[in-house]
Amino acid sequence: MEGDRFMKLETYPDEEMLAIDLANTIAGELNSALMQDESARVLLAVPGGTSPGPVFDDLCAADLEWERIDVVLTDERWVPEDDPCSNTRLVKERLLTARAAAARFLPLYTAAHEPEEVLAELESMIGPELPIAVALMGMGPDMHVASLFPGMEGLEQALAPDAPILMAVREPSRQEARVTLTARVLNGALSKHLLISGDEKRAALERALKLPPEEAPVQAVLGGTTVHWTE
Ligand SMILES: O=C(O)[C@H](O)[C@@H](O)[C@H](O)[C@H](O)COP(=O)(O)O
């Protein structure tokens, strides 16, 4: 692994140790951001999917001033909150509970027929809270990050330095439309963490290092990112 591309690489003996340490790291970074300006709000971006749940289970108990923390998803499937595929459902069940229940959630889904109808409204709630203080990202085995998929329509714009905050994504291999933060917004984060679980994703990340962002969108957000994975 070419370590020079990352700020650092954290390796753990198992998923449980990874979740505990990553949650503690994120809590520490959020607390530092809260302490820097006692009147400011602090934005945390988190992924959906199956990997971050254990990190959320530990992070939600952190003794932080959650009342000043906003939580936004890196991406969302365009489904209602009661849908099993909803990332909002995951975050509300696993992260916005216990002490973290006091945080404010900034939605990426609202009841509208198409995401394009409400992108401006969703962006109006996120824009004033930027930059992201801490971004936790996930990656798929196809080297996508958030909902920035290899070869997807609109990927060039989503990776561009003048990208909007959000984009609607329609990816043939995914059943539902999605809304995603763009690479510019993720890279604007003061701290970035990438959660890599399993050998398949580890191999995919190794491949991504040798590919252009258009073929491996995770490449676009690796600079300065701490990668967390298990041995
Ligand atoms: O909506 C999503 O699916 C996520 O936000 C996505 O970007 C996720 O991080 C990767 O797809 C990895 O997903 P897993 O954690 O399920 O492997």
Side-chain angles (χ1 to χ4, degrees), residues 142 148-156 170-172 213-217:
D142 64 352
L148 306 174
F149 297 99
M152 79 178 200
E153 185 182 341
L155 181 61
E156 186 177 349
R170 285 176 177 74
E171 166 58 25
E214 300 72 37
E215 295 175 39

Side-chain angles (χ1 to χ4, degrees), residues 7 29 133-137 183 186-194 220-228:
M7 187 170 73
E29 291 175 352
V134 182
L136 173 61
M137 301 175 286
L186 291 168
N187 282 322
L190 306 179
S191 175
K192 293 185 287 174
H193 298 274
L194 181 67
V221 298
L222 282 183
T225 291
T226 303
V227 177
H228 302 258

Side-chain angles (χ1 to χ4, degrees), residues 27 65 71 73 83 89 102 133 135-137 144 157 173 189 206 224:
E65 202 180 341
V71 175
L73 281 159
D83 187 302
R89 173 182 172 153
L136 173 61
M137 301 175 286
H144 82 260
Q157 186 194 14
S173 63
E206 301 264 6

Side-chain angles (χ1 to χ4, degrees), residues 17-38:
M17 292 292 289
L18 187 160
I20 292 167
D21 189 64
L22 181 48
N24 285 338
T25 299
I26 292 171
E29 291 175 352
L30 288 171
N31 196 50
S32 298
L34 288 163
M35 303 277 278
Q36 274 178 2
D37 179 345
E38 311 238 328

Side-chain angles (χ1 to χ4, degrees), residues 5 55 115 150 169-170 176 206:
R5 288 176 186 274
V55 180
V169 171
R170 285 176 177 74
E176 66 284 324
E206 301 264 6

Side-chain angles (χ1 to χ4, degrees), residues 117-134:
E117 296 169 27
V118 291
L119 274 189
E121 175 192 332
L122 296 171
E123 285 187 327
S124 70
M125 293 186 281
I126 298 167
E129 309 308 334
L130 293 176
I132 296 166
V134 182

